[in-house]
Amino acid sequence: MQGVQDLPPIDEHRLPAEAAAVIARMRQRIEQQVGEIERRDQEIERRDREIAWRDMRLEKIQLELARLKRWKFGAKTEAMTAQQRALFAQTLIEDEAALQAQLAELQAKLAPTPHAPKATPRQPRRQALPEHLQRVEHHHEPADTTCANEGCGAPMQRVGEDVSEKLDIIPAQFFVHRHIYGKWACRCCSQRGQGRLRQEPAEPDVIDGGIPASGLVAHTLISRFADHLPYYRQEAINARAGVHTPRSTLAAWAGAGGAALQPLYEAHKRFVLSAAVLHADETPIPLLDPGAGKTKKAFIWAYARSQLDPQPGVIYDFCAGRGAQYPIAFLAGLDPPRAGLPWRGTLVCDRYSGYAPVLDASLHPGRTAAACAAHARRKFEELTPRNAGASPVALQALQRWARIYHVESHFAGMSAEDRREGRQRLSKPLWEELRVWLELERGRVSGGAIGEAINYSLNHWSALTLHLDDGAVPIDNNHIGQQIKPWKLGAKNWLFVGSELAGERAAIVMSLVQSAKLNSRPCKSPTTRINTGVSGRSRMVNSPGMLSTGG
């Protein structure tokens, strides 16, 4: 039986006119249907593109909304949630066993260190009060020390004592330094008209001829820049002690104190810039703009010696903007003591474009850039919001970042060379595995936020892994972020900086205060003594408002 395809072709010219017209109408209808189908296909493709674009935009909006909610309501930490920890628990246990074996092999090559015998577990005890605190003894003895037994009455002997200590405080109290300058003259020479008066010159002070001593000026600066107390609060606190210090007066004292600290600030700057590894970051701070009747945005640039440096230090630079000219000028060593000696070394910073001219090898040879692993990790961490479905790719990325940081935690306290060797043996394979996985996932994802997170890490890979070849370079820039937090806390209290000069003064004081915190040691100063004269005799200040003078 023949099919339709086996029939001979039809010669339309031999067909009747009615049949040819029907065939023509059918062909025209088929062409119209084909055209309609093509138009519908194009419309479907257009709608598919619009849907994909809207889905991507919706994903971005949801991400931004989740990020804003996290910033506003979430915990201010990058610690993993309970669900994330549960997800990574088994993997970390496996990694722990493998890494412990490799670390044991690595540590076997190190010089042995003596280990103190492990103390037996004890019940928690209250921490002893610091030894440097002044002790005021109160003796409590029985009024009658004769034996109360019937028929005895013999005097009792003291066989010991029980001592209990209670912590107390005397609220900050004001006292007055009375400087008495004796005048001396020779009577014999005075009678002959050749008398000369001898007197000790006045002691230099922060504010010559002013009321406040250096201790009060320092207290005002610490209250302002360490405790973040505005001047009006300090005025109220001082008023409780009966001392009137208007806020304008306190501001004048702080201004004079900041100017007196300028040489120390310059010396501290030279100390910080002598490090081969620096952290850098910047943060906005409101600056009063009197002409506009509102505030404008200024910036605090922070530079700190590496968190792995045994001698820590941080310094701040108040600038009117965020342009690259500010770090270029700061690191160029333009002040006279460092003229012609620009800073060279490794700068740990984020990928803000303002750092590109600072690290340009053609303009500033000897400088290298190290990227922050925490910034790269945060790109994925933000895609795992607590109140929305997490991206599976982001969860896998966090798992790999957790392995890297878990290994890095074992290198704390090592020397730079030992840390480099450990990173080469243990961390480098994890970084290589992460790179291969990121490149594989980049080919699978279509873009969006997860694509941006992957591209951020891959585009800055050499800077992210620079620490593998240099044990003195930290893995991230979190250290400088911790040094910037006091500025954000201060801005919540004193709201804004009154002028550019005030911002520079704040940077001076904050640099010294924060560096002192980084190098903090327990205070062991003795009880305050007040010098009372040329003989050097002194008395202790034992009770509020009572100052004795040596007679």
Side-chain angles (χ1 to χ4, degrees):
M1 181 177 180
Q2 293 183 341
V4 177
Q5 65 275 12
D6 297 326
L7 295 177
I10 300 175
D11 188 358
E12 297 182 10
H13 299 286
R14 295 182 179 181
L15 293 175
E18 294 81 1
V22 171
I23 292 175
R25 288 195 299 270
M26 292 180 63
R27 285 180 176 174
Q28 185 178 5
R29 186 178 301 174
I30 291 173
E31 291 176 356
Q32 291 176 353
Q33 291 178 350
V34 171
E36 183 68 22
I37 292 174
E38 290 179 353
R39 286 193 295 272
R40 289 183 179 180
D41 290 342
Q42 294 176 357
E43 180 68 17
I44 291 173
E45 291 180 1
R46 185 184 65 81
R47 291 184 179 182
D48 288 342
R49 289 194 298 269
E50 289 183 357
I51 291 173
W53 180 80
R54 290 176 181 177
D55 288 344
M56 186 178 299
R57 182 172 179 82
L58 180 61
E59 178 187 357
K60 184 175 181 180
I61 293 174
Q62 289 176 342
L63 171 64
E64 294 296 332
L65 180 60
R67 183 180 298 170
L68 288 174
K69 288 182 177 180
R70 181 175 178 270
W71 287 346
K72 185 174 182 179
F73 304 109
K76 302 301 187 291
T77 178
E78 295 183 11
M80 292 186 293
T81 63
Q83 293 83 356
Q84 293 172 349
R85 287 194 298 270
L87 178 65
F88 303 149
Q90 295 180 357
T91 304
L92 288 179
I93 292 174
E94 296 174 0
D95 292 345
E96 177 74 20
L99 293 174
Q100 287 292 348
Q102 299 180 54
L103 284 172
E105 181 182 355
L106 176 63
Q107 293 172 351
K109 298 182 179 181
L110 303 178
T113 56
H115 295 281
K118 187 176 181 180
T120 57
R122 295 183 301 175
Q123 293 295 328
R125 296 182 58 185
R126 181 183 300 168
Q127 185 177 1
L129 297 175
E131 293 294 331
H132 68 272
L133 296 180
Q134 178 187 359
R135 260 65 177 179
V136 179
E137 295 185 352
H138 303 272
H139 293 272
H140 306 274
E141 302 292 349
D144 186 6
T145 58
T146 57
C147 183
N149 291 335
E150 185 177 356
C152 181
M156 304 178 73
Q157 302 294 324
R158 199 171 191 274
V159 294
E161 62 185 12
D162 291 328
V163 178
S164 65
E165 293 189 337
K166 296 182 180 294
L167 187 63
D168 202 353
I169 185 174
I170 298 176
Q173 61 184 29
F174 291 89
F175 61 92
V176 179
H177 288 284
R178 298 187 72 229
H179 296 273
I180 303 172
Y181 298 92
K183 295 182 178 180
W184 299 80
C186 177
R187 293 184 180 276
C188 298
C189 295
S190 297
Q191 294 176 357
R192 297 195 299 267
Q194 300 177 352
R196 299 181 60 185
L197 187 66
R198 178 173 296 181
Q199 189 178 28
E200 282 294 304
E203 292 187 357
D205 214 330
V206 176
I207 304 177
D208 291 332
I211 293 178
S214 57
L216 181 55
V217 176
H219 176 74
T220 302
L221 290 173
I222 293 298
S223 299
R224 169 77 172 181
F225 298 106
D227 300 329
H228 310 295
L229 293 177
Y231 292 133
Y232 76 90
R233 294 184 188 172
Q234 295 188 48
E235 178 183 358
I237 293 172
N238 296 343
R240 289 200 296 264
V243 177
H244 179 55
T245 53
R247 64 192 71 178
S248 58
T249 301
L250 294 172
W253 294 352
L261 293 173
Q262 180 69 36
L264 185 58
Y265 173 82
E266 295 296 336
H268 182 59
K269 177 181 177 181
R270 293 193 293 271
F271 165 72
V272 172
L273 295 185
S274 66
V277 179
L278 283 183
H279 295 268
D281 202 358
E282 76 289 337
T283 187
I285 188 169
L287 172 65
L288 185 63
D289 188 3
K294 56 183 180 180
T295 61
K296 60 182 180 181
K297 187 181 294 186
F299 284 86
I300 288 292
W301 292 76
Y303 308 88
R305 295 170 71 97
S306 169
Q307 67 183 93
L308 304 175
D309 198 312
Q311 296 179 315
V314 62
I315 194 164
Y316 304 104
D317 186 27
F318 180 85
C319 302
R322 200 190 179 196
Q325 67 270 26
Y326 299 107
I328 289 176
F330 189 87
L331 298 176
L334 298 180
D335 49 315
R338 290 181 55 85
L341 296 175
W343 175 82
R344 294 185 177 185
T346 301
L347 189 68
V348 186
C349 55
D350 55 28
R351 299 294 88 193
Y352 166 51
S353 59
Y355 291 108
V358 181
L359 298 167
D360 189 345
S362 61
L363 300 176
H364 309 286
R367 294 181 184 176
T368 55
C372 174
H375 277 77
R377 177 193 175 277
R378 192 176 301 132
K379 300 288 184 182
F380 297 97
E381 200 270 341
E382 290 175 348
L383 298 177
T384 58
R386 304 170 191 270
N387 56 351
S391 167
V393 177
L395 288 175
Q396 293 182 46
L398 286 183
Q399 183 178 5
R400 297 174 187 276
W401 283 113
R403 293 176 182 173
I404 291 174
Y405 269 91
H406 181 65
V407 173
E408 183 68 22
S409 65
H410 289 80
F411 303 141
M414 289 186 177
S415 64
E417 183 58 31
D418 293 337
R419 187 180 297 108
R420 188 197 68 81
E421 181 181 354
R423 286 171 173 173
Q424 288 289 320
R425 295 189 56 191
L426 304 179
S427 298
K428 190 172 182 179
L430 297 178
W431 280 94
E432 288 298 324
E433 180 186 0
L434 175 62
R435 181 183 61 81
V436 173
W437 178 82
L438 288 174
E439 291 178 346
L440 180 63
E441 292 298 328
R442 182 166 62 177
R444 294 176 177 174
V445 300
S446 59
I450 188 65
E452 294 178 3
I454 293 175
N455 288 331
Y456 180 90
S457 296
L458 291 177
N459 293 341
H460 307 296
W461 191 258
S462 59
L464 281 171
T465 57
L466 181 68
H467 68 284
L468 297 176
D469 298 319
D470 190 347
V473 177
I475 188 174
D476 54 38
N477 205 25
N478 287 345
H479 176 63
I480 196 65
Q482 296 170 359
Q483 309 313 313
I484 284 181
K485 284 183 179 179
W487 284 96
K488 311 307 290 186
L489 177 61
K492 291 181 179 179
N493 287 271
W494 22 264
L495 302 180
F496 55 81
V497 175
S499 65
E500 292 190 13
L501 186 60
E504 295 172 1
R505 182 168 59 252
I508 291 174
V509 180
M510 289 285 280
S511 298
L512 302 176
V513 168
Q514 284 301 116
S515 296
K517 289 182 179 179
L518 292 175
N519 294 273
S520 61
R521 296 292 185 271
C523 176
K524 295 184 179 180
S525 58
T527 305
T528 304
R529 293 180 178 270
I530 301 175
N531 193 11
T532 58
V534 295
S535 62
R537 291 174 291 175
S538 60
R539 300 279 186 176
M540 283 189 181
V541 182
N542 289 326
S543 59
M546 298 295 292
L547 300 183
S548 302
T549 56

